[in-house]
Amino acid sequence: MASAMQYVESACAKCGREHSHTENHEYEYKDTVDDDMNCHICLAPILDPLDTKCGHTFCDLCITQTVKAIKMCPLDRKPTRIEELRESNYAFKRLLDKLKVECPNCSAGMERGQLEGHLQGRCRSKRVRCTYAGCQWNGPEREHADHVETCEFGFKNASIKNGAKTTIEFEMEEGELIGISVVGGNETPLIAIMVQEVFQNGAAKRDKRLKAGDIILKVNDMDIQDVQHVVAKNALSSAKGTIKLMVYREQREMDKFSSNLELKRVSIMKNKGVPLGISISGKKKQPGVFIVNVTPDSVAARDRRLKAHDRIVEVNGRRVNQIPPARVSELFKQNNRQINLLIAREKSEQSRRNSKDFESSVAAEATYQPLRLAVIPRARAEKTVVIKKCSSSEKLGMSLAGGISPKVNIPIYVSKIGPDGCVGRSGQLNVGDIILAVDGKKLSDLSHQECLDKVQKANKNSRQVSFKVIEADDIENGGNGNSYHPSWLKWLALPPQIDNSKKVSLQKAKEESLGFIITGGIDSSHGPQPIFIQTVMPGGVAYKSKLLKCGDIIVKVNDNPLTRVSHEQALQVLRGVKEKADLVIKSWPGTLV
Ligand SMILES: [Zn+2]
Ligand SMILES: [Zn+2]
Ligand SMILES: [Zn+2]
Ligand SMILES: [Zn+2]
Ligand SMILES: [Zn+2]
């Protein structure tokens, strides 16, 4: 925030606001002022009163400028000259100086005559201006953060800071996408929508701010913190022109918790028939989930260790940083007898914010609409189709995508079918079908070009080509002339016989953590799930290796399978890693938006 702030050096020493010397001081009066004390030119309480010969009183600036211009008293039109204006009597000036005003910087109340001294001495708050290009705002320092949050000029310039919510705005060219891939959605254990990759040559890349791992909280004011994948996909891909995104970037690995926070582990035994008594909520500016209050006489109240404004970092071993409060409350219900919490509390009571910071709160034991189950891979039948051609030289009339590259490993699939080609005419293949083999030759573990060569070879000088395929289930898009790109969920739902797992090795110092947060497990609130990487902590071991992305599935760690383990068991395996972690992961491309 400091980058968008500058102290206002030119603020008036007397009234604390910025105005030119040809304008009156500006005061915020606390009470209604008797009309006799108002200037009939500027209609505000008189400043530096001057009397006219005809017995009227105005502000020095007001009457001087008026007499210069019209050479008469504006009230009774009696001819008046500047030299005839006289200072008002001392008693009247004192009365005016006693009017109650508010300090524009710290809101303290005082007499008007005292403000100048207050501004130079006791007032702790300074006047600052917003430095975003084009923005005219200036105000008290304490209101600056609020302003920056809503500053239209800031969205174009604000830099995304670790551990804070930031709104950014950038332009997309006609027909252009944002140019990122996303993973997550509330039907997956990630819940949040996260950027998996920022593509070269896209709107996001031009803007330069969005990074892999960023969580997208809002798209053009639509909240996507707790929506299904396809809802987020539609919101993101339908954006045009100027797009506004509210994003959260995880704190850096080393400064996860500032030193004025103390971390506490609290285990609470539930008591049948007695409410748990914890209300939780998000905060407007800070990420995370906080305790709003503890109900008197509840289990939590009797325990006495939890307080309002405590931040909930973990529930039963699960990090809840990016999870909406309503979903966090579901975790409270999970473990039957005991709840284990990791709490972060600010050490100084004074630095605790007030209750206005909270968004709407939810009770920990309330019931929410259950999350729809994530797509689960299920076996699907393979079939062989034979495409008959009109002539041996005819082209097949379809496009293929996929194959192994240094970056991704995805099976070969049909991305486009021309309606008039022989594939289109046959009606036997669909966009999204995965091709396992052509004329009996397997296409797995080959690069895209190698696959194309095999298909070409089979097609050349032949009257028919056979394809072994796994049929697409339902198709989300495609068929409208564009190439079909499977969404992240489509990849997750692929039958288990399609395996794109790969090995990656991470090297770390003994006391270091691997630098990522996991979610999922057989005890997930979504039903049995694999272990997903939720967050790669910026600056950590995994982050520097560039080998892991949010949304990746961890299959194995140093020969310990993580395919059917609880969240806690997975944590134990990962904590047991000393210096080297050989991981087997499945990394599916995110959804293009
Ligand atoms: Zn002033
Ligand atoms: Zn005036
Ligand atoms: Zn007059
Ligand atoms: Zn003040
Ligand atoms: Zn501004």
Side-chain angles (χ1 to χ4, degrees), residues 103 106 118 123:
C103 169
C106 71
H118 165 83
C123 183

Side-chain angles (χ1 to χ4, degrees), residues 130 132 135 137 147 151 153:
C130 174
Y132 288 137
C135 182
W137 183 89
H147 166 75
C151 178
F153 301 92

Side-chain angles (χ1 to χ4, degrees), residues 4 129-138 144 147-148 150-154:
R129 80 171 87 248
C130 174
T131 55
Y132 288 137
C135 182
Q136 297 293 316
W137 183 89
N138 72 74
H144 179 257
H147 166 75
V148 164
T150 52
C151 178
E152 294 285 335
F153 301 92

Side-chain angles (χ1 to χ4, degrees), residues 103 105-108 110 118-119 123-125:
C103 169
N105 298 343
C106 71
S107 300
M110 66 199 72
H118 165 83
L119 285 169
C123 183
R124 291 274 171 77
S125 185

Side-chain angles (χ1 to χ4, degrees), residues 100-268:
K100 292 277 182 295
V101 297
E102 228 174 59
C103 169
N105 298 343
C106 71
S107 300
M110 66 199 72
E111 293 179 4
R112 193 174 84 179
Q114 296 170 332
L115 182 61
E116 185 174 2
H118 165 83
L119 285 169
Q120 281 156 19
R122 274 202 310 282
C123 183
R124 291 274 171 77
S125 185
K126 292 219 168 71
R127 198 155 191 88
V128 297
R129 80 171 87 248
C130 174
T131 55
Y132 288 137
C135 182
Q136 297 293 316
W137 183 89
N138 72 74
E141 193 168 359
R142 72 197 137 80
E143 282 171 20
H144 179 257
D146 272 328
H147 166 75
V148 164
E149 192 123 321
T150 52
C151 178
E152 294 285 335
F153 301 92
F155 301 155
K156 291 191 167 62
N157 301 284
S159 55
I160 302 173
K161 287 181 75 187
N162 292 84
K165 296 178 184 176
T166 313
T167 301
I168 62 171
E169 196 181 271
F170 54 87
E171 301 296 325
M172 289 155 65
E173 282 165 15
E174 178 122 14
E176 193 181 39
L177 290 173
I178 302 172
I180 56 174
S181 61
V182 294
V183 297
N186 72 8
E187 71 270 62
T188 77
L190 299 181
I191 298 181
I193 297 293
M194 317 180 75
V195 178
Q196 188 202 47
E197 200 180 335
V198 179
F199 297 117
Q200 298 295 330
N201 313 322
K205 189 78 184 180
R206 266 202 317 279
D207 178 71
K208 293 196 181 104
R209 285 177 290 180
L210 220 48
K211 273 196 207 166
D214 287 347
I215 295 175
I216 304 181
L217 306 170
K218 284 184 183 175
V219 192
N220 291 335
D221 297 323
M222 175 185 170
D223 196 315
I224 56 166
Q225 290 178 76
D226 191 3
V227 299
Q228 288 183 10
H229 187 83
V230 65
V231 174
K233 177 195 162 180
N234 290 342
L236 288 163
S237 58
S238 62
K240 287 187 183 70
T242 306
I243 184 174
K244 199 159 86 179
L245 299 175
M246 187 195 253
V247 298
Y248 168 66
R249 180 171 299 162
E250 187 56 74
Q251 242 139 344
R252 294 178 68 81
E253 177 74 344
M254 40 277 207
D255 45 41
K256 237 185 282 177
F257 298 105
S258 67
S259 56
N260 61 1
L261 283 181
E262 61 180 331
L263 288 177
K264 262 190 159 181
R265 289 204 180 269
V266 177
S267 295
I268 297 180

